[in-house]
Amino acid sequence: MSLASKRPPLFPGSIYANSLLPLQSVLRTRNDTQHLENDNDEDDEDEEVMIMRALEIRRKVTAVVFKGAMKKGKFGITYSTNLVNRLSEFIDHVMIEAAALKRLPEFEDSTFNVRAKAVIDDSNVVPLIRWLKHNDLSYPKIAKLICMSKGNLDSIRRLVEWLKTVHVKAEFLGVTLLKSGDDILQRSIEELDEIVEYLESNGVKGDWMGFVISRCPKLLSYSIEEVKTRVEFYLNMGMNANDFGTMVFDYPGALGCFTLEEMNQKVNYLKEFGLSTEYVGRLLAFRPELMGCSIEEKWKPLVKYLYYLGISRDGMRRMLTIKPMVFCFNFETTIAPKVQFFRDLGVRDDAIGNMLVKFPPLLTYSLHKKIRPVVIFLMTKAGVTEKDIGKVIALGPELLGCSIGNKLEVNMKYFLSLGIRHRQLGEMIADFPKLLRYKVDLLYPKYRYLRRTMVRPLQDVIEFPRFFSYSLEERIIPRHKIMVENRVNFKLRYMLACTDEEFNGRVADKVERRRRFESGLLDNALADSQTAEGSLGKAAVINCPASENAILNFPVSDYSMERTVQK
């Protein structure tokens, strides 16, 4: 009512006289009808409209005064306007405090503008804004913090200083303050210190604390009892302090971003794969991002899809234990396109399932940056035909994880340098895909021993490329020596692709067969010699005189028989 009776302020940003005409008409209407008993409801509405208009006027005047204080603090007009437009709650606070100053004797005769300016100056809000801006906080974050303080601006500076002591970086101060809860500014420093000390006592290093708090500010909103309950949840699964501290550092959200009910549900779901509580604890310590996955949105659709590919629960457990990150992917955008690509190469669904179980990291590779370039290399450079590429990928999915420049191309050039043709190399890879994964330093000694010591042709390696997979010192050389000592020879496949017992049996069998063969030749030679001696004696008796017959009819001695056999 006093606003309506006074002369309206005439300065830039003020509400001009024509804006007050509706308010004055409302007041006159109220004075003319205030004695009518039947218009009480209408009077109440008019009074409410009058109060709301008066408050709106005061807000705009307070905003103009605040902008003036910002201008005096050397802030730009645009920055001041954008900030003030987000400070509606603090503007109301200043307006109420300025109205309350009217009761004090020193401000009894002062105008509202003077009182509003006094409230703004006493709150030190302009220097606080300058300080927050210096700490890399944007004006929307500054405005929200000031509104959260509910007039207690000192709490902002106090909390920011504390966050710096726990190593929170300047660029994360605003986010940490805004996401730590609405009552964070009302918490005491002693409560926050207690939380930090408890985490440090359970393996979270002091140097990590700033990173943990800036990634999970919600931790600061919990009571110390809540924090202890969450920490014990993981420690009861068999984690030690080092594992727990590393887990919190790797993924702070695992400790503070989910309810205890959600955490229990996820742990129980992982146990359904046949994992013990202690193993789940080790799994979460190694890959805490699993706690951030939704059961309904990620895990259940993924399990259903893997089951469709023929992967059993045991296979899924193997995938989970070897590469738990697979269960953090969205199968529709990450896994399904790769599976379809393997199908296009000619790999069957059951073989795809076996591939994923055998080599789970395959699903973590980029389809366009890793998998597809390796397939193109194998078909264009390594000689693998379109018919065999599906077989190669199914038998050796590990090839897709090898570097083309540092591994595959180096091995390919080495084999071609041995005289192996391009087509033959492709056939060797189709027979033994692991061939391209060995280091050249390990291949060269085996090939040199094969050619120089064993005196084998290159064709033997082409027919049996698995020769390079066996240890030179533990298998190739010992078995070659046994073969030399026993004067036997085998193809590389029968020499190496068997156990020691099988190899010794083959050597013994070969020696026995040779002995029998040689013994058969001796028996035949003895029989032939005896036949020849008998024929010669008969001819001598017939053609010689009696005196000579007496000389020729002597019995054949053992010595002469032996000499005959030797001849």
Side-chain angles (χ1 to χ4, degrees), residues 384-554:
V384 180
T385 62
E386 184 178 353
K387 177 183 177 181
D388 293 333
I389 188 63
K391 175 185 175 182
V392 172
I393 298 302
L395 294 178
E398 299 87 354
L399 279 177
L400 300 177
C402 296
S403 170
I404 294 178
N406 298 329
K407 176 64 68 174
L408 300 181
E409 190 171 7
V410 174
N411 286 18
M412 177 203 69
K413 291 181 178 179
Y414 173 74
F415 287 114
L416 294 179
S417 69
L418 300 179
I420 300 175
R421 296 179 181 179
H422 191 261
R423 177 184 57 81
Q424 291 175 331
L425 179 59
E427 294 175 354
M428 293 172 65
I429 296 173
D431 185 25
F432 186 55
K434 196 176 179 180
L435 185 66
L436 293 180
R437 294 178 52 212
Y438 293 108
K439 294 182 179 180
V440 175
D441 296 340
L442 298 178
L443 297 175
Y444 175 71
K446 298 177 184 179
Y447 179 76
R448 182 179 58 183
Y449 187 83
L450 176 79
R451 299 285 282 165
R452 296 184 180 181
T453 305
M454 298 177 66
V455 195
R456 295 291 186 104
L458 179 63
Q459 186 63 29
D460 285 9
V461 175
I462 297 175
E463 294 177 355
F464 188 67
R466 292 177 182 270
F467 167 79
F468 293 103
S469 66
Y470 296 101
S471 172
L472 179 63
E473 302 294 336
E474 296 180 2
R475 176 161 292 194
I476 297 176
I477 294 178
R479 293 194 176 183
H480 177 248
K481 288 183 177 180
I482 294 175
M483 291 169 57
V484 172
E485 292 172 356
N486 291 274
R487 293 181 298 162
V488 296
N489 193 18
F490 296 109
K491 288 187 176 182
L492 295 180
R493 184 183 307 274
Y494 301 107
M495 168 187 170
L496 300 174
C498 59
T499 62
D500 291 338
E501 292 77 9
E502 292 175 347
F503 176 75
N504 292 330
R506 289 176 181 177
V507 171
D509 181 65
K510 197 74 174 284
V511 171
E512 179 63 21
R513 290 173 59 187
R514 186 185 65 196
R515 188 190 65 79
R516 291 179 180 177
F517 176 77
E518 293 176 350
S519 176
L521 289 179
L522 291 176
D523 293 341
N524 293 335
L526 180 60
D528 293 341
S529 64
Q530 290 177 348
T531 303
E533 288 289 337
S535 300
L536 182 60
K538 290 180 180 180
V541 170
I542 294 172
N543 297 325
C544 293
S547 60
E548 293 179 354
N549 290 339
I551 299 173
L552 293 176
N553 284 333
F554 62 89

Side-chain angles (χ1 to χ4, degrees), residues 93-268:
H93 170 74
V94 173
M95 181 179 63
I96 294 171
E97 293 296 326
L101 288 180
K102 182 79 172 175
R103 302 174 183 176
L104 300 179
E106 58 269 27
F107 293 101
E108 184 176 0
D109 297 328
S110 60
T111 62
F112 177 80
N113 292 22
V114 173
R115 285 180 273 124
K117 186 175 182 302
V119 173
I120 294 173
D121 293 341
D122 292 342
S123 65
N124 292 323
V125 63
V126 176
L128 177 63
I129 294 173
R130 172 71 63 185
W131 185 72
L132 293 175
K133 185 180 179 183
H134 177 72
N135 284 280
D136 295 335
L137 269 71
S138 60
Y139 72 86
K141 295 177 182 178
I142 294 175
K144 190 170 182 179
L145 281 176
I146 293 176
C147 294
M148 286 173 55
S149 67
K150 300 178 182 179
N152 185 15
L153 299 179
D154 292 337
S155 61
I156 299 177
R157 187 184 295 270
R158 173 177 54 84
L159 187 56
V160 169
E161 292 292 349
W162 180 83
L163 290 175
K164 287 183 178 181
T165 61
V166 294
H167 311 292
V168 177
K169 295 183 178 180
E171 59 265 30
F172 300 115
L173 288 173
V175 176
T176 303
L177 289 171
L178 295 177
K179 293 186 177 181
S180 345
D182 296 336
D183 60 341
I184 185 62
L185 296 176
Q186 282 71 46
R187 301 201 68 175
S188 65
I189 298 297
E190 290 74 16
E191 292 177 321
L192 301 178
D193 285 336
E194 188 177 4
I195 294 175
V196 170
E197 290 174 0
Y198 181 75
L199 293 177
E200 288 181 351
S201 65
N202 284 280
V204 184
K205 297 181 180 180
D207 296 338
W208 299 349
M209 199 60 64
F211 178 85
V212 172
I213 292 176
S214 60
R215 265 58 179 184
C216 185
K218 200 173 180 180
L219 277 174
L220 300 179
S221 64
Y222 295 137
S223 63
I224 186 62
E225 290 77 14
E226 176 73 11
V227 173
K228 289 182 178 180
T229 303
R230 291 174 174 271
V231 172
E232 291 173 357
F233 173 82
Y234 290 103
L235 296 181
N236 291 337
M237 288 193 291
M239 288 190 193
N240 55 35
N242 292 332
D243 291 341
F244 175 77
T246 305
M247 182 200 73
V248 174
F249 177 75
D250 290 340
Y251 187 62
L255 182 60
C257 291
F258 309 101
T259 64
L260 289 172
E261 182 180 0
E262 291 176 331
M263 294 161 65
N264 277 302
Q265 289 176 353
K266 293 173 183 178
V267 169
N268 292 332

